[in-house]
Amino acid sequence: MDKQPEDKQPEYTQTENVAEKPRKRGCAGHCLKFWWAYLIAVIVIVVIVVPVVILVGVPKIAQQKLDHAELILDSIVMTNARAQNFTMSINTEIKSDGKVKATIEPFEGVMYLEDLPEHKPFAKVHFPETTSAKSQIINITQFTMIDDLDAFTTFNTWLLHNETFRVTVEGDTKVHVKGIARAYGVTFKKTIDMPGLRMLDGTTVTNTTVNATAPKGQNNFFGTVRIPNYSKVAFELGNTSFHNYLLDKEIGTVYLDNLSLKPGNDNVYPMRATIDDLGYVTGLAVQKPYCDKLNGVLPFKLRGKSVINHGESLSYFADALASGNQTVQIDIRGTVKRSMGFTLGCTDE
């Protein structure tokens, strides 16, 4: 047998199998040795982190939830209108995700036109206590002072002229989150799109009659007026009068007594008018194109003159109604036929 060379050593492969139990014992020992450091860490979390969450995180979350909530306007009703105040009822619904259980304190909010840069409040709303429920109906009825007559008149003017416009409700309040004793300051701010009156477009005058023998200065024209209200606002106006124009010539005054406009197309009222020159009206009705192509129908224009309710002048309504003209078509040929029994033709026939 040959002898192996002395400089060549046998090869070995070594595998170490480290057991887990000694490591666990080392971790437990480490914790036992440095228990005071872990205690300090817990104290730091309780003393610093938790207050930061309560003072910063919770208010931020509460404000975000309030910002994401939706305010839905169902109706506004204005009654008992006086020169400096009125009664306002607002019916709304607030919708949210309902994930944070909280209560919002009562607060006073202001209403202003969002698209006017100065954001001058035209009314104040006293909101009751509310919750963060997914859906909550809020009905408010309150006595409302008119603190800024110009701002309130501007609101009524925008409401009259526009098809839609934006109104913002804003106010500061406090929120109470369930399980936390502290109350947090938040801002309630919601902008809603409101449908307007569209200048009362679609107003009709029917069943018209004329009294040609009425004494001068007394009512001599009568009919039935139907006024559409495309908005969600109901008004108690009172006794309302309008300047009456025919081809840009003022011919008299139209009166609507005890006028109150509710949303919809069911605002039907008797109309009376004083026309200073009936001959001018019937004279146009027998001229072309009114006598032939338009069948005796004339375009009258109405512009607000006065609004009187409970013996007080309501300038905020009157000025809004005076801010523009509305054209109403009236069948003069039919009026004369019903009242006098004969038919108006054309003068050149």
Side-chain angles (χ1 to χ4, degrees):
M1 181 179 295
D2 296 332
K3 188 177 178 181
Q4 294 181 358
E6 293 182 0
D7 58 345
K8 194 168 186 175
Q9 300 296 325
E11 296 181 357
Y12 295 95
T13 301
Q14 181 175 340
T15 302
E16 294 186 7
N17 185 18
V18 181
E20 296 294 328
K21 287 186 179 181
R23 180 180 296 179
K24 288 186 178 180
R25 286 196 298 268
C27 181
H30 175 81
C31 291
L32 289 174
K33 184 177 182 180
F34 296 101
W35 63 267
W36 51 271
Y38 290 104
L39 178 61
I40 292 175
V42 171
I43 293 174
V44 169
I45 293 173
V46 173
V47 173
I48 298 178
V49 177
V50 173
V52 167
V53 171
I54 293 176
L55 295 175
V56 179
V58 174
K60 186 176 181 180
I61 293 173
Q63 183 66 64
Q64 288 176 344
K65 293 295 183 181
L66 193 58
D67 291 342
H68 292 158
E70 181 182 9
L71 177 65
I72 302 172
L73 174 66
D74 292 325
S75 66
I76 297 177
V77 180
M78 299 168 58
T79 58
N80 198 30
R82 308 278 179 157
Q84 298 296 328
N85 56 71
F86 60 95
T87 298
M88 179 169 60
S89 297
I90 301 180
N91 300 319
T92 62
E93 180 182 6
I94 296 180
K95 289 186 175 181
S96 68
D97 59 16
K99 293 181 179 179
V100 175
K101 304 302 180 182
T103 301
I104 301 172
E105 291 185 0
F107 69 97
E108 181 180 82
V110 297
M111 301 177 69
Y112 56 82
L113 293 169
E114 176 63 28
D115 296 319
L116 278 183
E118 58 266 32
H119 287 174
K120 294 172 62 176
F122 62 81
K124 295 178 180 177
V125 183
H126 304 287
F127 279 87
E129 180 181 282
T130 56
T131 69
S132 59
K134 286 187 176 181
S135 177
Q136 186 170 188
I137 303 298
I138 301 175
N139 298 326
I140 303 167
T141 298
Q142 64 178 49
F143 176 81
T144 304
M145 288 295 300
I146 302 173
D147 297 324
D148 190 326
L149 185 60
D150 289 340
F152 190 53
T153 302
T154 300
F155 162 73
N156 288 311
T157 303
W158 278 49
L159 179 62
L160 176 64
H161 282 265
N162 287 284
E163 182 173 347
T164 60
F165 63 106
R166 298 194 299 166
V167 171
T168 296
V169 182
E170 182 176 356
D172 294 327
T173 182
K174 291 184 177 180
V175 61
H176 297 263
V177 179
K178 186 176 181 181
I180 300 177
R182 181 185 178 89
Y184 303 100
V186 291
T187 298
F188 181 92
K189 184 178 180 181
K190 299 295 172 186
T191 299
I192 55 179
D193 291 324
M194 289 185 60
L197 292 168
R198 308 180 200 174
M199 276 301 295
L200 304 176
D201 182 45
T203 296
T204 59
V205 179
T206 58
N207 304 320
T208 49
T209 59
V210 62
N211 181 4
T213 62
K216 184 178 179 61
Q218 293 189 14
N219 298 151
N220 55 7
F221 199 89
F222 307 90
T224 301
V225 177
R226 182 183 294 272
I227 305 174
N229 182 349
Y230 306 100
S231 77
K232 293 184 178 182
V233 183
F235 305 87
E236 175 195 300
L237 287 90
N239 298 329
T240 307
S241 66
F242 299 84
H243 296 279
N244 192 5
Y245 302 91
L246 183 56
L247 298 187
D248 296 325
K249 176 183 177 180
E250 186 165 7
I251 61 170
T253 304
V254 173
Y255 302 92
L256 297 176
D257 299 324
N258 301 313
L259 180 61
S260 181
L261 297 179
K262 60 182 181 294
N265 199 35
D266 295 328
N267 301 293
V268 180
Y269 288 89
M271 179 208 75
R272 56 188 179 89
T274 300
I275 296 180
D276 299 329
D277 188 353
L278 286 173
Y280 173 69
V281 176
T282 55
L284 280 176
V286 296
Q287 295 179 26
K288 293 181 179 180
Y290 303 110
C291 65
D292 54 357
K293 293 182 179 179
L294 299 178
N295 298 314
V297 176
L298 297 183
F300 291 82
K301 290 183 179 179
L302 303 178
R303 183 170 60 86
K305 188 173 184 179
S306 68
V307 178
I308 307 295
N309 198 32
H310 302 290
E312 299 183 20
S313 176
L314 308 185
S315 64
Y316 48 84
F317 284 150
D319 290 347
L321 291 171
S323 63
N325 294 328
Q326 180 199 11
T327 300
V328 179
Q329 306 292 335
I330 299 181
D331 181 8
I332 297 302
R333 178 181 293 174
T335 301
V336 172
K337 178 68 175 179
R338 280 187 295 271
S339 305
M340 303 178 185
F342 63 87
T343 302
L344 296 175
C346 288
T347 55
D348 57 353
E349 292 181 350

